[in-house]
Amino acid sequence: MRLKRALSSLAAATTISVAGIVGLSASPAAAAAADFNYDRPAVGDLDATIDAWKDSRMLGSVTWQADPGSGSTKGDTLCVRDNWSDGRYIVGTTGEGHTASTKGHSSSYNKCVTVNVPEGMPMMMRMTIHGSDGTEQSSPFEIKG
């Protein structure tokens, strides 16, 4: 009787251990994260870009242009681009309520919004990637109006 009970307990423990291992290997947290790159075209330049890369592919970008073009009346521009048809969408924000998004559009898609902020006003731009496997967000990148 003791031997039968001991074997039953061992079998149950083994089953629980195997289930735990299988569960861990299927965890969405094990998926590789996107790599974010931060760029400014020139030292002191007010323009800035955040790119997201995964598996050697550029997923998309968020770009800030402070008063683009000489004599432009357009104001400041926030653009977001989604490069891959992978079910994800990209949102760019300035931290001051300015947002551009590719949500609801097929890739490759580019969306720009024009805003007008005071000259030299500091803001923090971010890129957020939304997908069925979760949300990834870049670190803030300082920009100015």
Side-chain angles (χ1 to χ4, degrees):
M1 184 71 167
R2 283 186 183 176
L3 180 60
K4 187 175 181 181
R5 192 176 291 159
L7 288 175
S8 177
S9 294
L10 179 61
T14 302
T15 302
I16 291 170
S17 295
V18 169
I21 291 169
V22 170
L24 286 175
S25 64
S27 170
D35 292 317
F36 294 100
N37 293 328
Y38 306 84
D39 187 38
R40 218 173 283 288
V43 174
D45 198 340
L46 298 178
D47 297 349
T49 301
I50 301 173
D51 295 328
W53 293 79
K54 188 170 185 176
D55 300 328
S56 299
R57 298 185 316 176
M58 188 165 96
L59 300 175
S61 62
V62 175
T63 303
W64 173 256
Q65 291 180 299
D67 294 326
S70 177
S72 173
T73 58
K74 237 177 128 176
D76 306 300
T77 305
L78 177 67
C79 295
V80 62
R81 180 165 185 80
D82 186 351
N83 290 341
W84 293 98
S85 298
D86 57 3
R88 298 177 187 175
Y89 67 94
I90 297 174
V91 176
T93 59
T94 64
E96 295 294 320
H98 308 113
T99 302
S101 174
T102 64
K103 185 176 183 178
H105 297 277
S106 299
S107 298
S108 165
Y109 181 74
N110 189 59
K111 170 73 176 179
C112 292
V113 295
T114 301
V115 297
N116 202 10
V117 297
E119 300 304 310
M121 178 179 164
M123 298 176 288
M124 295 304 237
M125 180 171 72
R126 283 188 188 261
M127 177 180 198
T128 306
I129 304 170
H130 298 269
S132 61
D133 57 348
T135 301
E136 294 182 68
Q137 189 173 60
S138 71
S139 296
F141 192 34
E142 186 174 10
I143 57 173
K144 292 185 180 181

